[in-house]
């Protein structure tokens, strides 16, 4: 599975959009991009995933570049409860494994 | 709807003692099941995964083992705990949609 690179930490003002970048320059054509988040002392929570097209759900939007080498998770109106570690993962579904890196620690500031 | 349970929530064990952590899933059949460990300040590490009863794949060599005695039950065990086994242990499941859903976790402290 391709590796991902994320900044270790970011801050965002409450009510503003949080844009979390992820590089996955070695991604292959059949690998999906997944985003999870983990609030302290809880299990990771699924946010969104995509293959080629941009995706949006009730939690976030996922923007994938045309060459698929990077993506951005957008939380449109960050709240204090969005403070968490956000993990970007790429996975080929010929296998079953998710490999998590250390993620981006997002702090939403009042 | 599907739910995943883990217990205990917190565990303090002496070095050399045995370990048994349990994970059960409700509301689905024949799930894929996973055990992860998260050491302090580090990312999640996949330990074991299972695609069916009695089928276990190990990702990293260690003194831990896993078993799947029933379709929706996944157990993580050790005969003798090490200090380095301390961490946050997470169970996850996935179905036909490959998205994994995580349980609440077990925090293990080995003293």
């Amino acid at each position: 599975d391709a590796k991902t690179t994320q900044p270790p930490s970011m801050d965002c003002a409450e009510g503003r959009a949080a844009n979390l970048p992820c590089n996955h320059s070695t991604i292959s054509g059949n690998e999906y991009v997944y985003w999870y988040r983990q609030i302290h002392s809880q299990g990771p929570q699924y946010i969104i995933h995509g293959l080629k097209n941009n995706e949006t759900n009730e939690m976030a939007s996922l923007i994938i570049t045309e060459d698929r080498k990077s993506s951005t998770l957008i939380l449109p109106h960050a709240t204090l409860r969005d403070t968490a570690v956000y993990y970007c993962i790429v996975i080929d579904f010929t296998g079953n494994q998710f490999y998590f890196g250390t993620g981006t620690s997002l702090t939403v500031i009042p | 709807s599907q739910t995943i349970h883990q217990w205990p929530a917190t565990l303090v064990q002496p070095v050399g003692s045995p370990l048994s952590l349990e994970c059960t899933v409700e509301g689905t059949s024949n799930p894929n099941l996973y055990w992860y460990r998260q050491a302090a300040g580090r990312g999640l590490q996949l330990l074991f995964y299972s695609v069916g009863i009695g089928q276990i794949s190990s990702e990293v060599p260690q003194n831990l083992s896993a078993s799947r005695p029933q379709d929706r039950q996944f157990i993580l065990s050790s005969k003798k705990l090490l200090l380095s086994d301390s961490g946050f242990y997470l169970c996850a499941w996935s179905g036909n949609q490959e998205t994994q859903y995580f349980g609440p976790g077990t925090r293990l402290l080995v003293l």
Side-chain angles (χ1 to χ4, degrees):
Chain A
D1 293 323
K3 291 184 179 179
T4 62
T5 304
Q6 298 176 255
S9 63
M10 291 180 63
D11 293 338
C12 178
E14 187 178 16
R16 303 295 295 271
N19 297 283
L20 292 94
C22 180
N23 287 326
H24 29 79
S25 58
T26 60
I27 193 170
S28 63
N30 58 347
E31 287 184 318
Y32 289 75
V33 179
Y34 266 74
W35 283 85
Y36 282 77
R37 72 180 182 185
Q38 187 176 25
I39 297 170
H40 183 62
S41 296
Q42 298 182 24
Q45 177 190 24
Y46 166 78
I47 302 174
I48 199 167
H49 75 281
L51 183 63
K52 294 181 185 178
N53 300 323
N54 298 336
E55 302 288 343
T56 296
N57 63 21
E58 64 279 2
M59 290 183 67
S61 294
L62 174 61
I63 308 298
I64 303 174
T65 58
E66 191 169 344
D67 63 7
R68 302 186 71 237
K69 293 185 177 182
S70 66
S71 61
T72 302
L73 178 74
I74 301 173
L75 308 178
H77 305 285
T79 70
L80 299 179
R81 287 175 294 181
D82 291 323
T83 293
V85 177
Y86 287 77
Y87 295 98
C88 169
I89 306 153
V90 294
I91 181 164
D92 175 356
F93 281 115
T94 59
N96 289 298
Q97 303 91 320
F98 275 33
Y99 292 95
F100 287 75
T102 53
T104 295
S105 178
L106 174 69
T107 301
V108 180
I109 302 168
Chain B
S1 64
Q2 300 86 3
T3 55
I4 180 168
H5 304 278
Q6 288 186 245
W7 63 88
T10 305
L11 189 61
V12 181
Q13 291 284 97
V15 169
S17 64
L19 173 74
S20 181
L21 303 181
E22 189 164 346
C23 170
T24 59
V25 181
E26 295 177 357
T28 186
S29 58
N30 196 31
N32 296 326
L33 296 171
Y34 310 82
W35 277 112
Y36 291 85
R37 176 172 60 202
Q38 186 175 36
R42 302 183 66 179
L44 287 160
Q45 178 187 35
L46 179 66
L47 302 175
F48 302 95
Y49 71 93
S50 170
V51 298
I53 296 174
Q55 301 179 62
I56 309 294
S57 296
S58 175
E59 287 295 298
V60 292
Q62 59 210 319
N63 69 320
L64 299 171
S65 63
S67 62
R68 185 169 177 175
Q70 301 180 40
D71 181 46
R72 288 169 289 180
Q73 183 184 33
F74 205 23
I75 297 173
L76 183 69
S77 303
S78 174
K79 292 182 179 178
K80 288 186 178 182
L81 283 169
L82 306 173
L83 288 174
S84 57
D85 291 325
S86 293
F88 191 41
Y89 287 84
L90 288 153
C91 181
W93 75 274
S94 67
N96 291 332
Q97 301 292 326
E98 285 79 2
T99 304
Q100 292 186 19
Y101 299 95
F102 287 80
T106 294
R107 193 162 298 280
L108 172 65
L109 178 61
V110 182
L111 299 175

